[in-house]
Amino acid sequence: MSQLFPSALLETLRKARSIAVLTGAGISAESGVPTFRDAQTGLWAKFKPEELATAEAFLRNPKMVWEWYRYRFDMVRTVQPNPGHYALAEMERRVSEFTLVTQNIDGLHQKAGSRNVQELHGNIQRYKCFEDNQAVESWAPTEEMPPKCPRCGGMIRPDIVWFGESLPDGPYVAAHMASETCDVFFSIGTSAVVFPAAALPGMALRAGAVVVEINPERTPLTAQATYVFQMPSGQLLPELVKAAWGAVDSSKQ
Ligand code: APR
């Protein structure tokens, strides 16, 4: 597959001081996590994500929203990183500055060994209090859905950014800075339509970075990206890392 890669891209990667990566649901597709817009199957098929992933939906029907997240939590808990996740963890070990910005809430990048992961949309394995947004680590076993905050009795919700909510400051500032200062920016497995994450590749382009898109489908970014690979990331990324820097540690796959 290495003939796929222009030598100028491989050279740019080897010389890069700083790499920023934005991932979306597509990077986890080969782990068996349905992409966000494909995720509504079975029991949940009749609901749109926009009708479940909002504070209004939670207030209207907390039990239903809690059950939807339990269903997604149970699915995420059983899946494993795929070669795309591992290749990004390997890339981080080869570059002096590396920032992995993800819209995913599944924790698979960390499970694959990535270290500098900025979660823009939260994490399904963390919880917080609906009233004051403070983290809730644990609560007494209960049949109640959702359970109540042990501090104030408010409802517990997943620590996820819902539609209409702002992104967490720390990850967003880190993502912004990485996009504006990187030499190479990867946009991987994202439909590049949900803002503000979708603005990051444009920032990188304007700052002069080489922008690489990996996605089997076209997106609004495709026409502007410097290099486009219309392939599944789990197939392409290990080959790209190998072509640029040498073999990926196969014991980690
Ligand atoms: N490799 C790479 N890309 C893939 C693969 C794959 N194997 N399979 C699918 N894709 C691509 C699809 O072509 C699509 O463009 O992944 C993208 C997934 O798009 P979305 O489901 O829209 O996911 P994402 O871009 O992460 O959505 C952004 O929107 O709904 C909100 O908060 C939610 O974080 C989510 C955000």
Side-chain angles (χ1 to χ4, degrees), residues 67-136:
E67 283 183 319
W68 184 53
Y69 278 102
R70 288 303 306 182
Y71 159 80
R72 294 180 66 203
F73 175 82
D74 286 343
M75 180 173 58
V76 159
R77 209 172 33 171
T78 59
V79 297
Q80 296 303 324
N82 68 58
H85 295 105
Y86 288 115
L88 289 177
E90 182 68 22
M91 195 187 282
E92 183 169 16
R93 293 191 274 271
R94 308 299 182 108
V95 183
S96 53
E97 270 176 40
F98 185 90
T99 308
L100 206 174
V101 181
T102 189
Q103 299 166 88
N104 298 345
I105 56 174
D106 56 28
L108 287 179
H109 286 303
Q110 293 91 329
K111 219 171 176 178
S114 286
R115 299 169 80 90
N116 186 14
V117 182
Q118 302 295 337
E119 294 178 313
L120 288 184
H121 293 169
N123 190 307
I124 199 164
Q125 295 169 76
R126 289 195 307 259
Y127 296 89
K128 60 182 184 177
C129 173
F130 185 77
E131 297 305 322
D132 62 9
N133 276 324
Q134 298 304 304
V136 175

Side-chain angles (χ1 to χ4, degrees), residues 23-30 34-39 49-50 53 72 82 102-105 121 160-163 188-194 197 214-219 229 231-235:
T23 63
I27 187 118
S28 296
E30 289 152 272
T35 61
F36 206 84
R37 278 154 193 80
D38 290 340
E50 293 82 350
R72 294 180 66 203
N82 68 58
T102 189
Q103 299 166 88
N104 298 345
I105 56 174
H121 293 169
I160 281 177
V161 177
W162 283 335
F163 288 97
I188 304 171
T190 173
S191 52
V193 292
V194 175
I214 303 172
N215 192 322
E217 309 280 334
R218 288 185 69 81
T219 75
F229 297 99
M231 283 183 59
S233 47
Q235 288 176 31

Side-chain angles (χ1 to χ4, degrees), residues 148-207:
K148 294 282 170 4
C149 170
R151 289 185 301 266
C152 73
M155 290 189 288
I156 296 176
R157 57 167 281 182
D159 187 2
I160 281 177
V161 177
W162 283 335
F163 288 97
E165 295 183 327
S166 351
L167 302 191
D169 284 345
Y172 186 62
V173 168
H176 203 292
M177 273 183 51
S179 305
E180 288 198 316
T181 56
C182 65
D183 305 308
V184 183
F185 183 100
F186 283 89
S187 175
I188 304 171
T190 173
S191 52
V193 292
V194 175
F195 285 82
L200 298 172
M203 276 178 206
L205 272 173
R206 282 190 296 281

